[in-house]
Amino acid sequence: MTATTDLAGQNTGGLPDWTYRFTAGYDLDSGFSVQGIARGVSGGVYNNNYVVCSTDCPLSTADYRTVNMNRIDGQFFYDVNASYAFETGGAKAQVFLSIRNVLNSDPVLVANGPTGNNTPAYPQTNRALYDVLGRVFRMGVRIGL
């Protein structure tokens, strides 16, 4: 019989214990607005069934692997958005700039073991939890009638 695994707190393919998002913004009467965002995930484990030990370890099995470390760090990312709203030719318009991962933080690397996908083209992290693109700029114009 195969052991069941509770995926909560597994940062490799489950859900972290916590996800964080804090947003603060300020709008001026002149049409300018700015917004700061802090987002992140809590630390977690590779697998809840892993047995952490360094000496006198039990027999490692497919269901209960013995490992010397079963911890994955959490991480915070910071984003900034700015915009300026105005009217032109009777239409409402807005120019905006968005910067994700302002500090250009690298994602937490997650090692793969004998059952992991070691394809070199894949980033060695949980792409659903950690920002893998680095700092990203987006700018544009919105026009409404």
Side-chain angles (χ1 to χ4, degrees):
M1 179 174 197
T2 305
T4 58
T5 299
D6 177 6
L7 297 177
Q10 284 188 195
N11 286 20
T12 53
L15 296 173
D17 288 327
W18 294 95
T19 57
Y20 308 92
R21 183 174 178 92
F22 175 77
T23 304
Y26 191 74
D27 297 330
L28 295 172
D29 291 336
S30 64
F32 180 76
S33 72
V34 64
Q35 183 181 59
I37 299 137
R39 58 188 169 89
V41 297
S42 64
V45 297
Y46 284 91
N47 189 304
N48 287 321
N49 288 350
Y50 284 0
V51 178
V52 179
C53 64
S54 57
T55 59
D56 297 327
C57 296
L59 179 64
S60 184
T61 66
D63 290 331
Y64 298 100
R65 296 187 189 280
T66 56
V67 297
N68 63 350
M69 196 267 301
N70 189 25
R71 180 88 183 128
I72 299 173
D73 291 335
Q75 191 166 29
F76 274 102
F77 299 100
Y78 302 97
D79 308 329
V80 174
N81 300 320
S83 65
Y84 178 69
F86 58 96
E87 287 193 27
T88 180
K92 293 182 179 181
Q94 182 185 62
V95 293
F96 65 90
L97 171 66
S98 173
I99 307 172
R100 283 183 56 93
N101 193 359
V102 171
L103 301 176
N104 199 26
S105 300
D106 290 330
V108 173
L109 297 180
V110 178
N112 285 323
T115 60
N117 182 346
N118 290 311
T119 305
Y122 291 166
Q124 300 305 303
T125 190
N126 184 336
R127 295 175 298 264
L129 298 180
Y130 301 103
D131 191 327
V132 297
L133 295 177
R135 187 179 304 124
V136 175
F137 296 87
R138 185 177 58 148
M139 58 189 307
V141 177
R142 297 181 183 108
I143 299 175
L145 301 176

